[in-house]
Amino acid sequence: MIKIRSLIGLLMLIFAAPWQSIYGQSLSFTEKEDIDLTKDCTGFCRPGVVNKSRGRGLLIERTMVGDQNLAPRAGGIEGANASEIDYIEQFRAKIKIPIVNAPSLKVLAGYEYQQESVHFDRIGYFNQELFESLNGKALRTNKYSVYITKSFNERVYGGLRLRTSYRGDYEQMMNFDPRYATYSGLAAVGFKEREDLEWGIGLMFGRNFFNTAILPFGVFNQTFNEKWGIETVLPVQIMMRYNFSPTNLLLFGVEYQSRSYALDLLQPETQGMTPYYFRHAEIALKATYDRKLYSWIWFTAETGYLIPRRARFDNTLDATYNFRARTSPQPYFRVGLFLSPPRDMIK
């Protein structure tokens, strides 16, 4: 099984400077279960290593991020120019629906809704109007995806993902304005060497409101013994896995996380709107605990520490008003439920 997770992990700590400028702007091309081949049939390989983490067919989760300081890039994180964020809340719900479930071919349709809001405790003089406009506002993301996975023989398998998403501060639940649109595609091929070892390579394409990029990635998954394993996307993420039992496991490691939105800033003097693009990115040191509750129902909890990499605001009308902010590290906690069907339901 190939699992494509968020974007950029442990190697970002080693090669932070060259990789951040490329991958930091191509955020969201990959997600945790973007390619998920689960197959057990004579003549076709069974992607995925033994004791791997579970796929999520339906997921609902909520995240709370702790307080942090927000200040000019060239100034201190305290003082009249600095702002203080009380907390950040995030919500995510996603579903994947099987369209084709043949022995060597899987086609799924996916939908995902995300909402993020930043709540300030104090807003300083630094870009005061923009932060006041951002305070408590719902930043929404709607993603529409198609997943195609194919097992070619007993060793080789591949996958394709096509996605359109809309990210911004629009008021209604959905908005298909091209201003908020991003488009991405992903293609990968995997090689199942043994039941406990697989690897793969692929390319990601992404086009959004601030850049277009084509980026390579690699996948390496291995189970070392009954308890220990590793699940990686390079240079994206490295996670160690510890299986307490087949229905009780822990993942811990490093992951690059990033989000971007199109914003509208109301100008009080003219009552007009100024469009901005907002991007933030962090390296997460995290641990995720998954436990089966009953039948298909699983519980998941995650905690970690976010190390800021960037917080950037771009004025789309006048680049002289672009600015970057410095933020302080903060802890976060996430809890959710997901459904994971048994393998015998997959042809």
Side-chain angles (χ1 to χ4, degrees), residues 86-197:
D86 188 17
Y87 65 96
I88 301 172
E89 58 180 341
Q90 300 168 351
F91 171 81
R92 183 165 72 134
K94 63 184 295 186
I95 186 171
K96 291 181 181 179
I97 302 173
I99 307 300
V100 177
N101 184 21
S104 66
L105 177 67
K106 305 288 182 294
V107 180
L108 298 92
Y111 169 72
E112 180 175 341
Y113 175 79
Q114 296 181 10
Q115 182 171 309
E116 178 177 21
S117 57
V118 180
H119 299 267
F120 285 85
D121 185 50
R122 184 179 71 86
I123 296 177
Y125 294 116
F126 170 62
N127 286 280
Q128 183 176 14
E129 289 184 356
L130 182 57
F131 293 155
E132 287 177 347
S133 176
L134 183 63
N135 187 23
K137 181 177 291 187
L139 305 178
R140 307 179 195 273
T141 300
N142 283 275
K143 299 180 183 179
Y144 308 89
S145 307
V146 175
Y147 307 86
I148 303 173
T149 59
K150 173 71 176 177
S151 179
F152 299 108
N153 52 45
E154 294 182 353
R155 180 172 178 264
V156 183
Y157 56 95
L160 176 70
R161 189 216 68 199
L162 303 174
R163 170 175 293 163
T164 301
S165 59
Y166 297 86
R167 308 166 182 270
D169 62 350
Y170 43 87
E171 296 295 332
Q172 61 271 40
M173 287 288 293
M174 297 184 185
N175 190 314
F176 298 102
D177 191 319
R179 160 170 154 67
Y180 303 115
T182 68
Y183 308 95
S184 65
L186 179 151
V189 58
F191 302 89
K192 181 70 174 289
E193 303 293 349
R194 305 187 303 266
E195 285 300 310
D196 60 357
L197 175 64

Side-chain angles (χ1 to χ4, degrees), residues 230-246:
I230 187 171
E231 301 181 8
T232 75
V233 180
L234 303 173
V236 177
Q237 178 190 45
I238 293 181
M239 299 295 292
M240 296 299 299
R241 186 185 72 246
Y242 184 79
N243 296 85
F244 299 99
S245 72

